[in-house]
């Protein structure tokens, strides 16, 4: 995925600026920030791996995507709950504390059970009237003033007992995202990832948005709708959450009882309380090396002093373990890690899935 070609350049600071602070401080009720820290970042292998997935890589002037997610929401939220893979719990906590988080709780999952389970656990361990701002840990967001306006609107709708999702104005027929058909703030329907023909039709219609995976709602309202539409998830997540509240830990047995499904499928596609906030903010899920290269070069002035180019152009070298020399080549991404070397032509980023599968089957120790 590449950045929507809305503007030539995004705001360099993907966290917050003074205009955004002025907007956010008009929010009357502080929210709790729920950071979904799962995801393995397989499309960025070998840079991203099981030990250090993409959201934990300190690529953005020393910050990780996780830290940027915290920083852009710190003014609107007075507490943070990180839902994290047990394996990464210590690193996530260290990064968030280093970014300045103070009122921080960590909920470590021994096994991931998708977004419905993670969000249900967050709601169960929060007061019913608490407004939850739920964001993935692995996205980049530009234009912080537009983001702040979007979150302010979402908070107001959530205060009125709506389940709110953020929708992004599409600028090209992307087949890797879900879509939301809408009218104003009303959701007409959710659409799974389409083929190129249907994505083009939806883009041309003008009444569809990309589904960003960002949500805002009261904890109690979410649980009411979860109990109504996904009672098995509600009941099993309640047991796991009570265990965590008693012991501070989630057992593998309790987590494995929770059905694994997305919050969209479990609740959002079925509830009549769902609203959407359309937004023109610049956004990327950093889902390919092309998107990562664009962000690093254009918006973070990334320069690798361990790379030299002779009669070469439009290349990106990531990794500083050894000198990388490029002679007479162009449009390449070179990822240099201690475990593996990737050389990829730009435009072939989606083929990393196939490569990842090969490594999984033949060299699993490298994942």
């Amino acid at each position: 995925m590449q950045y929507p070609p809305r503007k030539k350049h995004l705001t360099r600071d993907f966290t917050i600026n003074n205009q955004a602070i002025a907007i956010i401080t008009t929010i009357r009720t502080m929210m709790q920030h729920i950071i979904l820290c799962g995801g393995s970042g397989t499309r960025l292998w070998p840079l991203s791996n099981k030990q250090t997935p993409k959201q934990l890589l300190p690529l953005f002037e020393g910050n990780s995507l996780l830290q940027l997610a915290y920083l852009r929401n710190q003014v609107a939220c007075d507490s943070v709950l990180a839902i994290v893979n047990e394996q990464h719990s210590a690193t996530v906590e260290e990064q968030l504390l280093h970014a300045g988080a103070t009122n921080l709780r960590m909920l470590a999952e021994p096994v991931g059970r998708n977004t419905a389970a993670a969000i249900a656990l967050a709601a169960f361990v929060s007061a019913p009237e608490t407004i939850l701002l739920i964001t993935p840990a692995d996205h980049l967001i530009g234009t912080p003033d537009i983001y702040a306006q979007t979150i302010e609107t979402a908070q107001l709708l959530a205060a009125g007992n709506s389940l709110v999702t953020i929708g992004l104005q599409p600028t090209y027929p992307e087949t890797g995202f879900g879509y939301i058909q809408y009218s104003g703030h009303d959701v007409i329907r959710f659409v799974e990832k389409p083929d190129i023909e249907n994505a083009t039709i939806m883009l041309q219609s003008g009444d569809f948005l990309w589904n960003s995976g960002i949500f805002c709602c009261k904890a109690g309202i979410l649980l009411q709708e979860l109990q109504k539409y996904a009672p098995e998830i509600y009941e099993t997540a309640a047991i796991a959450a009570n265990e965590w509240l008693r012991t501070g830990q989630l057992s593998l047995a309790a987590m494995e009882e929770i059905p694994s499904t997305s919050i969209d499928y479990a609740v959002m596609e079925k509830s009549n309380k769902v609203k959407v906030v359309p937004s023109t903010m610049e956004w990327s899920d950093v889902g390919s090396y092309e998107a990562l290269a664009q962000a690093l070069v254009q918006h973070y002035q990334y320069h690798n002093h361990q790379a030299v180019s002779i009669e070469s152009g439009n290349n990106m070298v990531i990794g500083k373990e050894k000198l990388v020399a490029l002679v007479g080549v162009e449009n390449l991404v070179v990822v240099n890690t201690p475990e593996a070397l990737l050389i990829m032509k730009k435009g072939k980023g989606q083929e990393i899935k196939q490569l990842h599968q090969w490594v999984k089957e033949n060299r699993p120790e490298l994942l």
Side-chain angles (χ1 to χ4, degrees), residues 105-312:
R105 294 187 294 169
M106 302 285 298
L107 201 159
E109 298 177 315
V111 61
R113 302 301 285 168
N114 215 316
T115 53
I119 293 171
L121 290 170
F124 272 120
V125 302
S126 302
E129 288 298 305
T130 301
I131 295 178
L132 311 178
L133 176 60
I134 304 159
T135 76
D138 59 353
H139 291 178
L140 277 176
I141 296 176
T143 52
D145 51 338
I146 299 177
Y147 177 72
Q149 292 168 350
T150 301
I151 296 306
E152 180 189 25
T153 303
Q155 189 271 343
L156 292 172
L157 290 170
N161 295 334
S162 293
L163 301 177
V164 186
T165 184
I166 306 302
L168 303 164
Q169 295 287 352
T171 53
Y172 60 92
E174 172 62 56
T175 60
F177 304 149
Y179 284 70
I180 302 169
Q181 188 176 18
Y182 77 109
S183 176
H185 291 304
D186 294 328
V187 173
I188 298 173
R189 64 184 174 113
F190 286 80
V191 180
E192 295 297 321
K193 297 175 182 178
D195 57 25
I196 187 64
E197 180 180 355
N198 284 311
T200 301
I201 292 171
M202 288 189 287
L203 174 65
Q204 293 173 346
S205 75
D207 59 352
F208 285 86
L209 303 165
W210 287 334
N211 189 346
S212 71
I214 301 172
F215 308 98
C216 189
C217 60
K218 289 182 180 178
I221 297 298
L222 174 68
L223 292 177
Q224 287 177 19
E225 297 300 280
L226 188 69
Q227 186 176 30
K228 182 177 180 180
Y229 295 107
E232 187 178 359
I233 295 176
Y234 176 91
E235 292 165 7
T236 52
I239 294 170
N242 285 331
E243 178 184 68
W244 184 81
L245 289 169
R246 291 194 318 272
T247 68
Q249 293 183 321
L250 291 169
S251 69
L252 179 61
M255 284 299 298
E256 288 182 333
E257 288 296 315
I258 307 175
S260 179
T261 190
S262 70
I263 193 66
D264 284 335
Y265 182 78
V267 175
M268 304 299 284
E269 295 178 7
K270 301 168 184 175
S271 174
N272 60 7
K273 292 183 179 293
V274 177
K275 298 291 183 182
V276 65
V277 179
S279 180
T280 58
M281 66 187 180
E282 301 290 354
W283 169 91
S284 171
D285 67 349
V286 199
S288 69
Y289 274 114
E290 291 89 347
L292 176 61
Q294 184 175 8
L296 290 175
V297 172
Q298 293 186 6
H299 316 302
Y300 283 92
Q301 289 78 50
Y302 178 86
H303 180 70
N304 192 334
H305 295 284
Q306 282 289 80
V308 59
S309 295
I310 299 174
E311 296 184 7
S312 301

Side-chain angles (χ1 to χ4, degrees), residues 12 57 71 81 97-99 118 120 190 209 230 240 255 277 301 345 348:
R12 188 189 69 86
L57 296 168
L71 290 168
L81 174 61
L97 291 174
H98 188 264
F190 286 80
L209 303 165
M255 284 299 298
V277 179
Q301 289 78 50
K345 184 177 180 180
K348 295 293 184 178

